[in-house]
Amino acid sequence: MMAEEKKLEALLKAYKKETDIGPDKDRLEQTIRLSKNAFYRNEQKQTASYMEFLIQQGAYIRKRWWFLQFLTLILLWWIMYSAEGNYYAERSMGVLAPVFVILLIPEFWKNRSSGSEEVEGAAFYSLRQVYSARMLLFGMADFFLLSLFCGAVSATVQLTAEDLLIQFFLPFNVTCCICFSVLCCRRYGSEYMAVVLSLLWISVWILIVLNEAVYTAVARPVWWLMLLVSVSYMACMIFCFLRSCRNDQEGNISWS
């Protein structure tokens, strides 16, 4: 009986080897590919609108940074209002402009500090979309806060729009340029480096505006040129940063 069972088992193995009744690899790969395509098509039908995506990203942003920005602008307005007519106080308003930008650093760097880039890179939305939405939300919030600040200054403090642009928005733009430049640098792009460079820029700005000889030696067109260059450079760095935050087809993050 045992001999017959062994003989039957040997015949079955020989038949299986001859007929090759194993899984067809080509058909198996085709089934997997079709399953993936069906899954992606179903996910695309359920994709949230851009407004819903912005609302979702807004929920992840810690609102305390916006509140601290608001307090910074109130402090700056109070200093200008109390020292109205003091040219040195007006020139020193640029000292708090970089602080306004530094308060954004924890939110922009939390992907790196928490080590969540690879996880987010494998998600449905790419890092480029996440950072674009985050920049748009911060831009909208800062535009609203700065609009309130400019309105309050123009209504209560005798300060021209030209002085406001040069004394506040020029150091503000330069700080943004510094932060985005550091953020684009994969090797040295830490939030601490951005803060240190921003503080160094504050020191340089103080030396310029409080030195009457240096400040008066710079002509108005030069200030406007510096403002234009800072805005152009900041736009370029934002574009380069978003371009560097791209995902390959396997969900791995690639930083150029």
Side-chain angles (χ1 to χ4, degrees):
M1 194 61 149
M2 294 292 295
E4 292 180 358
E5 290 181 357
K6 291 181 179 180
K7 184 178 180 180
L8 180 60
E9 185 177 353
L11 291 174
L12 289 174
K13 289 182 178 179
Y15 176 76
K16 180 179 180 182
K17 186 177 182 180
E18 291 177 359
T19 55
D20 192 18
I21 43 180
D24 190 341
K25 293 183 178 180
D26 294 335
R27 292 186 177 181
L28 184 61
E29 292 178 357
Q30 183 181 7
T31 302
I32 294 174
R33 184 169 57 254
L34 292 175
S35 300
K36 287 182 177 180
N37 292 335
F39 173 77
Y40 290 141
R41 285 196 301 269
N42 185 60
E43 287 296 320
Q44 288 177 355
K45 293 179 182 179
Q46 301 177 3
T47 302
S49 63
Y50 191 69
M51 184 58 65
E52 293 174 339
F53 177 63
L54 282 179
I55 295 175
Q56 292 174 359
Q57 291 299 315
Y60 300 142
I61 296 176
R62 289 168 289 188
K63 311 305 183 296
R64 62 187 180 191
W65 305 117
W66 285 334
F67 179 70
L68 291 175
Q69 282 185 319
F70 179 67
L71 293 181
T72 301
L73 293 179
I74 289 181
L75 175 61
L76 181 57
W77 170 83
W78 179 79
I79 293 174
M80 295 176 60
Y81 181 77
S82 302
E84 185 175 1
N86 189 327
Y87 295 105
Y88 289 102
E90 294 176 359
R91 295 177 187 176
S92 301
M93 79 171 80
V95 175
L96 289 180
V99 177
F100 186 82
V101 181
I102 290 174
L103 292 174
L104 303 180
I105 290 179
E107 285 298 318
F108 277 105
W109 261 268
K110 67 180 180 182
N111 302 72
R112 292 189 183 184
S113 60
S114 60
S116 62
E117 293 171 341
E118 286 75 14
V119 177
E120 293 180 344
F124 185 77
Y125 294 102
S126 65
L127 271 180
R128 179 186 297 182
Q129 292 172 311
V130 172
Y131 271 111
S132 298
R134 193 174 299 171
M135 289 179 185
L136 179 59
L137 290 170
F138 272 109
M140 293 168 59
D142 289 350
F143 179 78
F144 175 74
L145 293 176
L146 292 174
S147 298
L148 291 179
F149 171 73
C150 292
V153 169
S154 60
T156 58
V157 182
Q158 294 182 355
L159 188 68
T160 63
E162 182 181 16
D163 290 332
L164 187 61
L165 287 173
I166 294 176
Q167 303 296 342
F168 182 81
F169 285 97
L170 177 57
F172 172 83
N173 289 336
V174 174
T175 308
C176 290
C177 293
I178 292 173
C179 292
F180 280 112
S181 298
V182 176
L183 187 59
C184 286
C185 181
R186 181 62 174 172
R187 188 173 181 180
Y188 303 105
S190 68
E191 62 270 34
Y192 303 107
M193 178 65 70
V195 172
V196 169
L197 293 177
S198 298
L199 293 176
L200 288 176
W201 161 240
I202 293 176
S203 302
V204 172
W205 180 257
I206 292 175
L207 293 176
I208 293 174
V209 297
L210 296 185
N211 191 319
E212 187 68 24
V214 176
Y215 184 82
T216 55
V218 181
R220 286 289 178 177
V222 177
W223 288 116
W224 282 104
L225 180 62
M226 293 172 60
L227 181 63
L228 179 62
V229 170
S230 66
V231 173
S232 302
Y233 183 78
M234 181 174 61
C236 179
M237 292 309 303
I238 292 175
F239 174 77
C240 293
F241 171 70
L242 293 178
R243 188 179 61 179
S244 67
C245 276
R246 65 179 184 271
N247 295 67
D248 59 23
Q249 294 180 350
E250 298 179 355
N252 298 322
I253 298 175
S254 174
W255 295 80
S256 51

